[in-house]
Amino acid sequence: MEKIGTFNFVTESYLLDFRGRLPLPMIGNYLLHCAGEHARQKGFGFSDMSQRSCAWVLSRIAIEMSRYPAMSEPITIQTWVEDVGRWFTNRCFSIAGKDGSNIGYARSIWAAIDLETRKPSDLTELGNLKEHITEAPCPIDKPGKTPPAETDTQGELYQVRYSDLDVNGHFNSIKYIEHLLNLFDIEMFREKEIRRIDISYVAEGRYGMQLSLHKKETAPGRYATSICDADGKALCRAAIVWKEQD
Amino acid sequence: MEKIGTFNFVTESYLLDFRGRLPLPMIGNYLLHCAGEHARQKGFGFSDMSQRSCAWVLSRIAIEMSRYPAMSEPITIQTWVEDVGRWFTNRCFSIAGKDGSNIGYARSIWAAIDLETRKPSDLTELGNLKEHITEAPCPIDKPGKTPPAETDTQGELYQVRYSDLDVNGHFNSIKYIEHLLNLFDIEMFREKEIRRIDISYVAEGRYGMQLSLHKKETAPGRYATSICDADGKALCRAAIVWKEQD
């Protein structure tokens, strides 16, 4: 059985941003969809895990794009398990555009939690996860440091709403990206593109929580961003690198 | 050539709300996608209209749902042109769920604007639009009144962000719905469902605009909502009817 999962999408106009490009959060949605489907095919999907009283939790993800898909562009995403440790497993992605040439890669790190205790599950006890490991090129750095943006910034207040919640009733991990990108002025999106984002998920956001959104430039074109709860504790941090547009 | 367009979708987990249901804004996205594709097939799509220096503008839409699609549910949307007048054309939709039985209907009213003058285009001069008219059952009321919610409510401030913009750089017509639904407490979504929404699009929203979001109960389970600009002028109004959940 093929160890690499292959999934096809076609961008649709209502998903595009004002530049006529598929925005980064939607790429994130596609990646998580592929991860879920691939896991399901291998017997480790949402339902399989639920039966073991477990759930996958996304811990970190890094996405690096050389180009963003355009209107009605066919996209092919491949995903595979690179490694399985005791507490974490690494999943890679490659993203190809309309001519089949690569336009991006992503690397993600997942833990499983026990739904009763909310503690990490030992992945080596979950069955033969390791037999799905394979190698394929994913020439980008592993998810890297996400320095705090909240330490000396004011932050913008935001209260978690209905549309922020995922099917588990938690703050949707992709909606975090949407809110963080909204901290940037539209001129940034006109003039530049996001080359890479590294995201760390630290704690769960819930309905009604009063959050603060922070952004800080750490070097030219490099930003630390974070989403904190009312006590100032980070739920999520992201390091964002912009490149000049071609 | 078949006058009724038929389009198939399958709901995906990342599109679902905390109830595990496809939310109303996503149904709106599907409907607009079908409208665009059907128009394109008939020679009146986005590109065809651009060549005539015109663009379709959604003026009103009413969506009535008896049930919301669940996880991985196949959905079939049919759409057709019901009528073409001089300034407006009516497009209907029916929505079927996994067993092929109907779960909702929608009616929409569109104008075309001249991209130079921003004035309405005479639809009778746009070619043979009328030849696409057909009849099919759409047993719901036409888009109805959307009373003002802004007259005696405080309103919640909101500034238009990157993620709100559509491919034309305007406030995405579906994002209006998302913001209006976010005015309701999560308990409403837990206990009830939206049976019907009537939306009137009055003026375009743009990046950076400071908006106010208003909500007012007009009768038990019935709400007037609106999105206004900094001068208090409505950009969009919606009448929302909740039903008790089955």
Side-chain angles (χ1 to χ4, degrees):
Chain A
M1 195 178 175
E2 183 55 72
K3 288 189 176 177
I4 299 182
T6 302
F7 302 90
N8 297 301
F9 301 90
V10 178
T11 66
E12 298 186 358
S13 61
Y14 59 85
L15 301 173
L16 305 183
D17 68 9
F18 76 95
R19 306 171 307 154
R21 297 288 168 167
L22 194 71
L24 189 57
M26 195 58 211
I27 292 169
N29 274 330
Y30 285 167
L31 297 177
L32 296 197
H33 176 71
C34 295
E37 275 297 295
H38 185 248
R40 192 184 59 75
Q41 291 170 7
K42 305 303 183 194
F44 293 94
F46 181 83
S47 308
D48 308 295
M49 294 291 276
S50 296
Q51 283 170 20
R52 293 172 208 166
S53 198
C54 284
W56 288 116
V57 175
L58 179 60
S59 170
R60 287 159 167 263
I61 187 167
I63 307 172
E64 206 167 305
M65 300 298 293
S66 55
R67 178 173 79 71
Y68 286 83
M71 175 93 87
S72 303
E73 180 164 353
I75 301 163
T76 300
I77 296 178
Q78 293 201 302
T79 184
W80 63 96
V81 178
E82 186 190 43
D83 195 17
V84 180
R86 187 157 172 203
W87 306 113
F88 293 102
T89 173
N90 298 342
R91 171 182 287 285
C92 296
F93 304 87
S94 71
I95 308 157
K98 65 171 186 286
D99 53 1
S101 70
N102 184 276
I103 59 172
Y105 293 99
R107 287 176 169 276
S108 58
I109 301 176
W110 302 75
I113 58 159
D114 184 298
L115 290 171
E116 301 288 316
T117 64
R118 310 300 287 178
K119 291 201 171 142
S121 300
D122 187 333
L123 299 180
T124 59
E125 291 175 4
L126 270 180
N128 49 2
L129 269 180
K130 286 202 169 184
E131 76 176 29
H132 305 296
I133 293 175
T134 188
E135 274 188 41
C138 191
I140 65 165
D141 288 344
K142 295 200 169 172
K145 287 197 178 146
T146 50
E150 65 271 22
T151 38
D152 50 4
T153 54
Q154 176 69 49
E156 206 174 281
L157 295 181
Y158 180 77
Q159 193 171 14
V160 183
R161 309 299 181 90
Y162 162 67
S163 69
D164 293 315
L165 302 182
D166 67 16
V167 68
N168 300 310
H170 299 141
F171 203 125
N172 182 314
S173 30
I174 299 303
K175 277 278 178 178
Y176 281 122
I177 307 180
E178 188 177 311
H179 288 293
L180 290 175
L181 297 194
N182 279 341
L183 292 172
F184 292 94
D185 192 88
I186 199 81
E187 286 306 319
M188 290 286 279
F189 294 93
R190 281 214 184 90
E191 292 163 13
K192 295 167 187 253
E193 276 191 336
I194 293 172
R195 185 173 67 76
R196 178 173 169 112
I197 187 169
D198 288 89
I199 311 159
S200 306
Y201 295 100
V202 185
E204 280 163 3
R206 289 169 190 281
Y207 180 77
M209 269 181 150
Q210 187 70 51
L211 305 180
S212 58
L213 313 175
H214 301 262
K215 182 187 69 168
K216 185 164 79 174
E217 191 166 15
T218 53
R222 290 175 177 264
Y223 291 82
T225 62
S226 55
I227 299 182
C228 298
D229 67 14
D231 299 327
K233 190 177 163 300
L235 303 182
C236 166
R237 290 201 184 107
I240 298 174
V241 182
W242 293 77
K243 66 165 182 183
E244 300 297 324
Q245 223 158 0
D246 303 326
Chain B
M1 192 179 177
E2 184 54 70
K3 288 187 176 178
I4 299 181
T6 302
F7 302 90
N8 297 301
F9 300 90
V10 178
T11 67
E12 298 185 357
S13 61
Y14 60 85
L15 301 173
L16 305 184
D17 67 11
F18 76 94
R19 306 172 308 154
R21 299 286 168 170
L22 195 71
L24 190 56
M26 196 58 211
I27 292 170
N29 274 330
Y30 284 168
L31 297 177
L32 296 196
H33 176 71
C34 294
E37 275 297 294
H38 184 248
R40 192 184 59 74
Q41 290 170 6
K42 304 304 183 195
F44 293 95
F46 181 83
S47 308
D48 308 294
M49 294 293 275
S50 297
Q51 281 170 22
R52 294 170 206 167
S53 199
C54 284
W56 287 116
V57 175
L58 180 60
S59 170
R60 286 158 169 264
I61 187 166
I63 307 173
E64 206 168 305
M65 299 299 291
S66 55
R67 178 173 79 72
Y68 286 82
M71 175 92 89
S72 303
E73 179 164 354
I75 301 163
T76 301
I77 297 178
Q78 294 201 300
T79 183
W80 63 95
V81 179
E82 184 189 44
D83 194 18
V84 180
R86 188 158 172 201
W87 305 114
F88 292 103
T89 174
N90 298 344
R91 170 181 289 284
C92 296
F93 304 86
S94 70
I95 308 158
K98 64 172 186 287
D99 53 2
S101 69
N102 184 277
I103 58 171
Y105 292 99
R107 289 177 166 276
S108 59
I109 302 177
W110 302 76
I113 58 159
D114 184 297
L115 290 171
E116 300 289 316
T117 64
R118 309 301 287 179
K119 292 200 172 142
S121 300
D122 187 333
L123 299 180
T124 60
E125 291 175 3
L126 270 183
N128 49 1
L129 269 182
K130 287 202 170 185
E131 76 176 30
H132 304 295
I133 293 175
T134 189
E135 275 187 41
C138 193
I140 65 165
D141 288 343
K142 296 201 170 171
K145 287 197 177 148
T146 51
E150 66 271 22
T151 39
D152 50 5
T153 55
Q154 176 68 48
E156 206 174 280
L157 294 180
Y158 181 76
Q159 191 170 18
V160 184
R161 308 300 180 91
Y162 162 67
S163 69
D164 293 316
L165 303 182
D166 66 16
V167 67
N168 300 308
H170 299 141
F171 203 126
N172 183 315
S173 28
I174 299 303
K175 276 278 178 180
Y176 281 121
I177 306 180
E178 188 176 312
H179 288 294
L180 290 175
L181 296 195
N182 279 341
L183 292 173
F184 292 94
D185 192 87
I186 200 81
E187 287 305 319
M188 289 287 279
F189 293 93
R190 280 213 186 92
E191 293 162 12
K192 295 165 185 256
E193 276 192 335
I194 293 172
R195 186 174 66 76
R196 177 172 169 113
I197 187 169
D198 288 270
I199 311 159
S200 306
Y201 294 100
V202 185
E204 278 162 4
R206 289 169 189 283
Y207 181 77
M209 271 180 147
Q210 187 70 50
L211 306 179
S212 58
L213 313 176
H214 301 262
K215 181 186 70 166
K216 186 163 78 174
E217 190 166 16
T218 54
R222 291 177 176 262
Y223 291 82
T225 62
S226 55
I227 299 182
C228 300
D229 67 14
D231 300 327
K233 191 177 164 296
L235 302 181
C236 167
R237 289 200 184 108
I240 298 174
V241 182
W242 293 77
K243 65 163 181 183
E244 300 297 325
Q245 223 158 0
D246 304 328

